[in-house]
Structures are given as C-alpha cells and as structure tokens.
Amino acid sequence: MKNIIVEVENEIAVVTISREKSLNALNSETLAELKECFENIAARKDVRVLILTGAGKKAFVAGADISEMVNATPAEGRKMGMLAKEAFMLLETMPQVTIAAVNGYALGGGCEISMACDIRIASDNAKFGQPEVGLGILPGFGGTQRLARLVGKGRAKEIIFTCDQIDAQEAYRIGLANKVVPQDELLDTCKSMAEKIMSKGSYAISLAKEAINTGLETDLASGLTLEADLFGLSFSTADKKEGMTAFLEKRKANLTDF
Ligand code: DAK
C-alpha cells in the first residue's frame, strides 16, 4: 500500500494515513487502500482493536484532497463519495473496536472518518471542523449525519454553517472527543485503552457495538428488541459461562470468544 501503513502487534492494528506533505488529505487512491485495509481487518480474528491515526505531528487528516476534487466531474465526485461511504461503513460496523487517535487537524473528511470510529482520543493540538461550505460543497462523507448524532443538531449546524475550527478541549466538552491528552502520550493512551477493552469479552463487545449502532438508527422499542436478541445470543458463548463462573469462584475470568 502506498498511502497507508498497517502495523499489527498484540492484537492491535495501528493504521496510519501517511501523506504527510498534504496533511494526510484523502485522495481516491488512499480511500481505496483504506477500504481494502478495513475489509481485511474486519475478517481477522487476531486483531481486536484498530487505532486509526495520521502521519506526523500536525494533522490527523486535513480533509478530502482538494487538488484532486477541484477539477472532478459530478460522476467522479459520486465515485469518490461511494468509495468513502463503503470504507467508512466498514470502519463503523467492523466487529473490532475502532479508536481514532486524532493527532492534529481533523477537518472535513478527516473529522468525518474520525466520527466513523467508535472512540476519538485527541492530542492537545487537535482541531476539528467541517470547512466544506466555505469551498462551496457540503460535508459529504457523513458529516451532516454523524456530527448531528454525536453533538446534537444545534451544535452540528453551528460547526457546519460557520466552518469554525473546534479545539481539543471544546471537542471534549461537546462530546466529540472522548479524551484529550498531550501529543506525546496519544498513541500510548490509545493502546492502554485498547488493552483495557481487550481484557473484557471481545465477542460481547462486538454485540454491544452492534446494539448501539443499529439501535440508535431505529425506534426505542425496536432497539430494545434487538438488545434482547443479542443479549440472548451472548448466553450461547463460552465467555458467558467462564465470566460468570469466574465471578462465583472469585478468580479472574479468561474470556476468549471473538
Ligand atoms: N487537500 C489537499 N492538500 C491539502 C489539504 C487538503 N484538504 N489540506 C492541506 N493540504 C496541503 C496544502 O495545500 C499544503 O501543500 P503545499 O502548498 O505544501 O504543496 C500542505 O498541505 C500544507 O498545508 P498548509 O500550507 O495550508 O498548512 P497550514 O498550516 O498553513 O494550514 C490547514 C493547515 C489544515 C488549516 C490548511 O492546510 C487547510 O485549511 N487545509 C484544508 C482544510 C479543508 O478545507 N479541508 C476540507 C476539505 S473538503 C465527497 C464528500 C466529501 C468530501 C469530498 C467529496 N463526495 C461525496 C464526492 C470531503 C470534502 C472535504 O474534506
């Protein structure tokens, strides 16, 4: 792969978008590589957490690649949009837990790809924003949908309509970032959160992720029914037996299902 680096260690995949000269802007080639990478990781049993980050200390992802978009036809724009939609959906729905390590600018498509992750941890120099309407387009990689779901309709409209950049502390305050840490500690913080998550039942976590993601897109009664179904399914696992037996025997559980 030319534009991304994938490193797997201790069941954690660190995926680095590596186009530092253009602040890791997403061109079609990078989106295609991300799609392939997410497909591969989703099928792997030896990866339980994916951490997504950008190369360098300045940017996570400064958006879609403007130099590629400037002369794109509507058909090319649509193709790029579909590629991003497929890649982002894979990221959002994969059974693994996904953490965006936001190490600088997360603008436009950069903010949008971070929002397709389960959790966002920001470095203290991170800046989030949706500058698209200043370019004569609107957020098209899910920004109008995911931002409103994360921070509410009013705040999402303000961020999108004004193009204001939100610093890391403000992102934390409004629920866009889960945590803010010094830049030097960003990756280690993400990895220790990953380790904590991996010490729990990975299969149960994947079911909880599905219940949250799908449930939030439906009415409460249907969401609760889905939760009950997945709850029932969790009773079929070895982890459920081991987890409960370990509690009763006052020992640490060894949960292995995934
Ligand atoms: N695309 C291409 N190149 C970019 C870029 C981008 N998004 N952002 C930065 N660069 C490049 C700059 O052109 C510059 O290149 P050189 O001049 O060195 O060759 C290099 O990265 C360093 O950037 P700056 O010199 O500008 O650095 P500064 O520190 O002065 O400023 C900045 C940093 C992040 C504030 C600034 O670079 C900036 O404003 N960047 C653009 C941010 C932006 O507007 N992002 C949103 C892009 S629009 C679609 C759906 C969705 C989308 C597209 C299509 N479809 C459905 C089809 C998404 C759209 C977007 O994301």
Side-chain angles (χ1 to χ4, degrees):
M1 301 234 184
K2 207 170 114 195
N3 305 286
I4 64 173
I5 300 164
V6 183
E7 295 156 298
V8 178
E9 200 183 353
N10 301 329
E11 299 183 283
I12 301 171
V14 177
V15 177
T16 306
I17 299 170
S18 182
R19 299 187 72 225
E20 200 176 337
K21 282 195 183 136
S22 46
L23 305 186
N24 305 317
L26 299 172
N27 59 4
S28 302
E29 196 177 46
T30 308
L31 287 169
E33 288 180 13
L34 285 171
K35 184 181 164 214
E36 190 187 332
C37 160
F38 297 155
E39 255 164 3
N40 287 338
I41 289 180
R44 284 179 72 156
K45 293 287 173 202
D46 61 334
V47 173
R48 291 195 287 151
V49 175
L50 182 157
I51 298 173
L52 181 68
T53 194
K57 293 199 159 196
K58 188 167 171 183
F60 171 68
V61 169
D65 192 318
I66 300 172
S67 64
E68 185 183 15
M69 286 189 294
V70 63
N71 293 316
T73 62
E76 287 163 343
R78 183 168 193 279
K79 202 170 159 199
M80 189 180 182
M82 290 306 286
L83 195 55
K85 181 185 152 218
E86 286 162 17
F88 287 24
M89 285 297 288
L90 278 163
L91 181 62
E92 188 161 54
T93 59
M94 65 172 60
Q96 289 85 356
V97 172
T98 57
I99 302 176
V102 181
N103 56 314
Y105 289 111
L107 302 178
C111 186
E112 290 169 304
I113 200 169
S114 81
M115 292 190 292
C117 293
D118 297 318
I119 290 163
R120 280 147 298 287
I121 302 188
S123 61
D124 45 13
N125 68 328
K127 292 248 163 67
F128 294 80
Q130 297 287 162
E132 286 89 342
V133 299
L135 297 168
I137 56 174
L138 68 152
F141 291 163
T144 61
Q145 304 305 303
R146 291 195 180 95
L147 186 60
R149 280 165 173 72
L150 266 174
V151 305
K153 193 162 140 183
R155 283 205 172 100
K157 285 181 177 170
E158 184 184 342
I159 292 168
I160 290 169
F161 297 171
T162 62
C163 302
D164 281 350
Q165 288 180 10
I166 307 286
D167 67 24
Q169 285 301 340
E170 177 66 358
Y172 173 70
R173 194 183 70 80
I174 65 176
L176 184 52
N178 295 67
K179 214 185 248 289
V180 181
V181 296
Q183 182 159 55
D184 289 348
E185 294 168 23
L186 180 63
L187 220 47
D188 282 348
T189 305
C190 293
K191 285 181 180 168
S192 24
M193 186 183 278
E195 272 152 25
K196 183 186 270 188
I197 289 168
M198 292 190 311
S199 72
K200 314 295 177 196
S202 289
Y203 184 65
I205 288 173
S206 74
L207 296 181
K209 172 169 170 169
E210 187 183 340
I212 294 167
N213 282 352
T214 309
L216 274 178
E217 302 312 317
T218 187
D219 60 284
L220 181 62
S222 308
L224 291 170
T225 301
L226 172 68
E227 185 187 69
D229 288 345
L230 296 175
F231 184 77
L233 180 57
S234 72
F235 273 53
S236 69
T237 63
D239 273 1
K240 176 252 177 189
K241 191 156 184 44
E242 163 64 10
M244 293 191 181
T245 306
F247 174 80
L248 294 173
E249 290 175 356
K250 302 190 188 304
R251 61 174 172 83
K252 194 172 176 302
N254 178 25
L255 305 178
T256 55
D257 284 322
F258 185 45

